[in-house]
Amino acid sequence: MSRNPRHQRAFLNDRLQSLNAPIQLLALQLHSLAALPVFQNSPELTADLEKIHDAVALTQSALLAFDVEALDAGELARLRHDLRNHIGIVDGYSEILAEDCGDDELAESLFKLRQQSRVFQEQLEGLVLPDGASSSSSDPIAKMFKSFKRGLSRELGAVEPSLILVVDDNPSSRELLAQQLQRKGYTVLEAEGGRSGLETMRRVLPDLVLLDLVMPDMNGYDVLKVIREDEDLRRIPVVMVSGVQDEEGAMHCIDAGANDYLIKPVNATLLNARLSALLERKRWQDKEQEYLAELERSQKFIRQVFGRYLSDEIVERLLDEQDGLKLGGQRRVVTVLMADIRDFSTISLQLEPEACVALLNNYLGVMAEVIQHYRGTVDELMGDGILAIFGAPVNEADDCDRALACAVAMQNAMAEVNRRNLAEGLPALKMGIGLNTGEVVAGNIGSELRSKYGVVGHNVNLAARIESCTVGGQILVSPRTLSDAKVEVVRGRSMRVAVKGVEEELLLQEVLGVGLPYDLLLEQPQLELRPLSAPLSLWITLLNGKQFDESQALQLEAHAVLGEGLVVSASSAINSPIKVPADVAIKGLVEARCYGKLTAVDAEAVSTLPSANKNRYLLVPSTVADVLPNLK
Amino acid sequence: MARILLVEDNEMNRDMLSRRLQRRGHEMLLAVNGQEGVDICLAELPDLILLDMSLPVKDGWQVAAELKANPKTALLPIIALTAHAMADDRQRALDAGCDDYDTKPVELPRLLEKIEFNLQAAANK
């Protein structure tokens, strides 16, 4: 690992970030858990829950408050220690609660909570300075020396005269000191008491303060304490000045953070020697501060650019590459995963804004976790849509396989999303996923001020188009994704679709699962086929974009309910088969017009229907819940 | 089950650990600082002592040394609870006379094993 502090900070930042994920998830879980009825009438359970809650909050604030810039191994050890304690409390009280509550649902949620706390504890082990960093940066002298050298190269020009503040209630000794100092070329300001001294300090931030110990309004010791506790002032060197009778008091001030002390009447040579040493050190510290601030700025830039979801190896690799942060792009082959909630706009219209956000957060929280698990990069969240890429910024041999496995895992994770949603009185959601593999342009896109790592290109758009062909719960992939996959793919139906921007029709493949090492299958209930007692007449109009022409309406007959769709066929002979999947407007199902998708129907699933009409389709109304019960 | 004295200044940790051990059948005695730990230990002679090392008034190392120097309490097993997983702290705890150590935050199954082991060992002395 590099000894470059910039790399080390990036490394550390990324480690901290990886701790944020489980703790945020924990906070979310805790939030939904608190709403469980079991807490309603039990102050004891609630009290324990609050302890967990407080510990999570403490964990979060400890993470937030940590100063990465210092790269201080000691501080980091302290942080690890604090975090371990907080998370230990989360774990312990979760166990206590689970045993006390006698409530299966809560016990299960707590089990999940503890799993997250384990994840956190595991990640915590990795919260260390990278190898090679500790030796140099835990040693403050080496650290200072390094920044000295850095400063030296810049700092050979003339030094501005230092600004010294003399705080003394006695005008004559104040004047004497001021004269001595001015003769040495310092710029001197005077204050006649402790309070006015502090005021002046805040206003002008002097390079050094000479502070009288005994003053009527506020003594030097108290002034010193204020200085050392003030974020802006605490770095200013302070030299205590006292009469010989108060020497002990002045020495006492060293313990409270004074840098040195002098006895009145002050010897000019001694004064000069002590001051120049202190001022020299202050100058270097200022340089170091400046240097740190500069690093912080570049650090912030990296974070902005690379978002929150990159793994540490990727950040490391990017930082090691010279051109890592250049704007502009690079062509590379990636697999693009596009996921979207079916009919989210309809659902969102029926919800309060807060409920809508809660719904999305449940969904995105779970999905982001799954994508991260499969080492995808969440490139963009567009409302309910997720664009994830596998293969940028770093290519791996199994990008395509991980994307496929991720898609299946995401569909299967919808059960968890919906369980959460239903527990919060929110509607269940269905998601469609489209995958495409191909060359894209990846890079930092945007202006110098606001840029973000992302991908663009035809193949990204194509993934979105493929996704728009899906019905809820489905995964459709492009031929290229299928041919690039090294993992075994469990296939469902395939369908030819005309896609805007592509001349030839695309053969999309429905994916039902992936083989080893992932070994994932879509958890789909067997679709039940229920024939209708009498055929139902419907009119559909094919939608082209959002335009449609009612005069082009087609009459269909519905024969049966299959899962969430209707098995339909054209009432009269039609010239050519309807191109599916197709978005359609439907009349005759509900009073008003409704919308849906016409797709191919699995011949095997409808083999028990009378075979009067072979041209069968599956019509899936978008507002399933409203429509299908009427048909039962 | 055993009578265990827990010496721990952090209220939350004390409450949590004592409750978790109680529900596994142990009788818990509690002390909030080192001196109280020594006093209760001398008065109650518990079967085992769980001793946090960074304690107010009298730290864990002093407590351990004091208890091990007293013939009345010398044989009581002491498990040190050290805050950091630092080899240094552990060695210091063992040097001070502690029989065993565990790191905080406590991983309960592991601690239970250590309690069990040290109770057995003490019974065989």
Side-chain angles (χ1 to χ4, degrees):
Chain A
M1 177 73 202
S2 156
R3 279 169 176 255
N4 179 336
R6 192 173 71 119
H7 294 197
Q8 291 172 6
R9 288 192 182 89
F11 177 90
L12 206 53
N13 258 326
D14 202 62
R15 288 290 155 97
L16 288 170
Q17 207 60 52
S18 69
L19 284 169
N20 268 328
I23 201 70
Q24 272 171 18
L25 220 58
L26 244 161
L28 276 173
Q29 287 174 336
L30 203 57
H31 178 71
S32 53
L33 198 141
L36 289 176
V38 60
F39 289 110
Q40 302 271 306
N41 294 314
S42 172
E44 293 86 8
L45 294 182
T46 308
D48 286 344
L49 184 71
E50 270 164 16
K51 285 176 188 143
I52 303 178
H53 195 274
D54 291 348
V56 170
L58 281 172
T59 312
Q60 285 178 312
S61 54
L63 278 172
L64 274 178
F66 185 70
D67 176 23
V68 176
E69 298 308 327
L71 284 177
D72 183 327
E75 283 298 315
L76 201 59
R78 195 163 311 149
L79 177 69
R80 274 200 305 276
H81 167 239
D82 289 351
L83 292 176
R84 267 198 204 101
N85 264 343
H86 298 327
I87 207 70
I89 284 167
V90 172
D91 195 56
Y93 277 106
S94 299
E95 184 193 282
I96 291 177
L97 257 183
E99 287 172 4
D100 276 355
C101 67
D103 179 294
D104 287 347
E105 194 186 355
L106 178 57
E108 195 198 325
S109 308
L110 286 164
F111 178 74
K112 295 219 170 95
L113 204 72
R114 295 185 72 195
Q115 278 180 322
Q116 262 337 295
S117 87
R118 292 278 148 70
V119 172
F120 186 89
Q121 286 181 45
E122 273 168 33
Q123 311 247 33
L124 196 52
E125 298 304 316
L127 186 64
V128 290
L129 289 177
D131 296 342
S134 47
S135 57
S136 62
S137 58
S138 63
D139 177 358
I141 297 183
K143 195 165 74 178
M144 204 179 276
F145 184 67
K146 265 171 91 173
S147 73
F148 278 13
K149 285 202 294 193
R150 199 174 281 273
L152 263 179
S153 55
R154 272 197 250 155
E155 164 81 16
L156 287 170
V159 181
E160 265 188 51
S162 296
L163 181 62
I164 295 176
L165 175 68
V166 178
V167 186
D168 197 326
D169 61 320
N170 182 330
S172 58
S173 66
R174 200 167 65 221
E175 224 160 279
L176 179 66
L177 266 173
Q179 273 182 13
Q180 287 175 322
L181 292 168
Q182 272 160 350
R183 216 171 298 144
K184 294 289 172 191
Y186 296 116
T187 309
V188 182
L189 282 173
E190 295 173 38
E192 54 191 23
R195 283 181 214 289
S196 63
L198 279 171
E199 262 169 46
T200 312
M201 266 176 250
R202 293 208 171 89
R203 213 173 52 239
V204 303
L205 289 180
D207 295 308
L208 186 143
V209 176
L210 286 171
L211 186 58
D212 185 23
L213 184 61
V214 186
M215 292 181 290
D217 67 328
M218 184 178 185
N219 70 45
Y221 184 74
D222 291 338
V223 175
L224 178 68
K225 279 200 299 193
V226 173
I227 295 175
R228 289 300 176 239
E229 277 160 24
D230 187 305
E231 183 52 38
D232 296 326
L233 304 181
R234 66 186 167 85
R235 271 185 289 273
I236 302 175
V238 176
V239 176
M240 303 305 295
V241 183
S242 78
V244 68
Q245 71 280 14
D246 297 320
E247 184 168 357
E248 206 174 318
M251 283 164 69
H252 188 49
C253 286
I254 303 276
D255 292 334
N259 297 71
D260 210 338
Y261 74 94
L262 291 164
I263 302 297
K264 286 194 254 192
V266 174
N267 174 309
T269 317
L270 200 58
L271 174 72
N272 198 35
R274 298 211 169 147
L275 254 50
S276 54
L278 284 171
L279 286 167
E280 185 70 0
R281 213 170 94 198
K282 168 78 162 40
R283 249 196 307 279
W284 290 121
Q285 278 171 353
D286 288 350
K287 280 286 151 206
E288 188 165 6
Q289 285 299 314
E290 201 179 289
Y291 173 49
L292 287 177
E294 199 176 290
L295 273 168
E296 190 178 6
R297 280 192 294 276
S298 70
Q299 193 57 49
K300 267 196 188 134
F301 179 59
I302 294 167
R303 280 287 134 203
Q304 259 170 16
V305 170
F306 294 107
R308 302 185 292 154
Y309 295 116
L310 288 187
S311 64
D312 42 15
E313 68 221 45
I314 289 178
V315 169
E316 212 174 293
R317 212 182 291 190
L318 284 169
L319 290 173
D320 283 344
E321 280 172 18
Q322 287 274 308
D323 298 339
L325 287 174
K326 270 195 185 157
L327 290 175
Q330 174 182 35
R331 284 183 190 283
R332 48 169 70 237
V333 174
V334 302
T335 297
V336 182
L337 181 153
M338 189 75 110
D340 204 12
I341 301 280
R342 301 293 84 193
D343 299 295
F344 187 72
S345 42
T346 320
I347 295 169
S348 64
L349 281 178
Q350 294 159 359
L351 288 176
E352 295 293 315
E354 295 80 11
C356 194
V357 169
L359 190 73
L360 274 179
N361 284 346
N362 278 345
Y363 163 68
L364 295 174
V366 171
M367 291 307 149
E369 199 190 349
V370 175
I371 294 168
Q372 205 173 21
H373 177 78
Y374 288 93
R375 301 203 304 283
T377 300
V378 176
D379 181 59
E380 191 121 48
L381 298 175
M382 302 149 288
D384 60 312
I386 301 173
L387 171 62
I389 43 184
F390 294 78
V394 175
N395 273 112
E396 291 177 60
D398 60 349
D399 289 333
C400 186
D401 292 355
R402 280 184 289 113
L404 280 160
C406 182
V408 178
M410 283 170 75
Q411 286 294 10
N412 288 346
M414 284 305 283
E416 168 66 17
V417 173
N418 285 331
R419 198 189 58 72
R420 288 188 194 180
N421 283 348
L422 294 176
E424 291 170 36
L426 299 166
L429 302 173
K430 283 190 165 289
M431 170 182 65
I433 298 179
L435 288 177
N436 180 35
T437 303
E439 195 172 74
V440 297
V441 174
N444 294 311
I445 299 156
S447 63
E448 289 279 349
L449 274 182
R450 184 177 161 72
S451 78
K452 147 181 181 313
Y453 190 84
V455 291
V456 287
H458 165 70
N459 277 311
V460 180
N461 304 339
L462 197 56
R465 301 256 155 74
I466 293 170
E467 187 277 323
S468 71
C469 293
T470 59
V471 294
Q474 198 176 34
I475 303 166
L476 289 178
V477 309
S478 72
R480 172 77 188 268
T481 300
L482 208 57
S483 66
D484 275 19
K486 288 178 215 61
V487 71
E488 181 201 354
V489 178
V490 183
R491 304 173 188 206
R493 289 198 311 260
S494 58
M495 59 188 82
R496 289 194 174 278
V497 295
V499 176
K500 211 165 99 185
V502 184
E503 256 173 50
E504 279 176 50
E505 285 190 338
L506 265 184
L507 184 67
L508 298 185
Q509 179 67 52
E510 184 182 10
V511 170
L512 301 177
V514 289
L516 291 170
Y518 308 103
D519 202 21
L520 292 167
L521 271 181
L522 283 186
E523 292 156 7
Q524 266 182 334
Q526 278 293 315
L527 295 185
E528 191 194 350
L529 180 72
R530 296 195 309 276
L532 298 176
S533 47
L536 175 74
S537 272
L538 299 170
W539 291 88
I540 60 160
T541 313
L542 299 181
L543 298 177
N544 189 1
K546 294 285 170 193
Q547 304 291 312
F548 63 97
D549 181 356
E550 295 256 9
S551 68
Q552 300 286 307
L554 266 174
Q555 195 181 7
L556 298 179
E557 272 184 356
H559 309 285
V561 177
L562 177 64
E564 296 185 335
L566 289 163
V567 180
V568 297
S569 60
S571 310
S572 51
I574 43 176
N575 298 338
S576 57
I578 306 168
K579 287 243 179 290
V580 289
D583 289 315
V584 297
I586 311 162
K587 275 183 93 172
L589 257 189
V590 287
E591 242 170 81
R593 190 169 51 217
C594 67
Y595 297 90
K597 197 163 250 152
L598 196 66
T599 69
V601 66
D602 186 358
E604 213 165 287
V606 295
S607 58
T608 55
L609 287 181
S611 53
N613 192 328
K614 289 287 181 198
N615 260 332
R616 291 206 183 95
Y617 302 96
L618 188 68
L619 178 64
V620 187
S622 56
T623 42
V624 177
D626 301 340
V627 174
L628 291 181
N630 299 341
L631 296 172
K632 277 179 187 162
Chain B
M1 289 320 256
R3 288 173 82 223
I4 298 177
L5 169 64
L6 171 63
V7 192
E8 161 70 89
D9 62 320
N10 180 306
E11 191 193 337
M12 192 97 84
N13 283 333
R14 197 171 59 235
D15 173 57
M16 191 170 76
L17 188 53
S18 63
R19 283 169 67 184
R20 293 169 90 185
L21 290 172
Q22 252 161 22
R23 58 187 68 229
R24 276 159 186 81
H26 296 296
E27 185 191 331
M28 297 304 294
L29 304 165
L30 303 175
V32 301
N33 63 48
Q35 187 55 53
E36 199 178 299
V38 174
D39 294 346
I40 293 179
C41 197
L42 289 170
E44 300 281 338
L45 294 177
D47 298 322
L48 183 139
I49 301 145
L50 292 174
L51 182 61
D52 180 27
M53 296 317 270
S54 44
L55 288 168
V57 185
K58 190 174 270 182
D59 71 25
W61 291 284
Q62 280 173 281
V63 172
E66 207 167 302
L67 290 177
K68 289 296 176 186
N70 187 334
K72 222 175 135 192
T73 52
L75 290 179
L76 298 182
I78 302 178
I79 300 180
L81 299 177
T82 56
H84 327 255
M86 277 171 67
D88 197 27
D89 273 6
R90 280 179 226 162
Q91 198 48 53
R92 277 179 66 206
L94 297 179
D95 290 347
C98 292
D99 298 83
D100 208 343
Y101 60 82
D102 202 4
T103 50
K104 294 200 292 181
V106 163
E107 207 177 283
L108 199 61
R110 190 180 62 201
L111 181 64
L112 285 169
E113 256 174 45
K114 289 190 177 178
I115 290 174
E116 194 53 41
F117 174 83
N118 282 286
L119 285 171
Q120 287 282 338
N124 293 336
K125 262 180 205 170

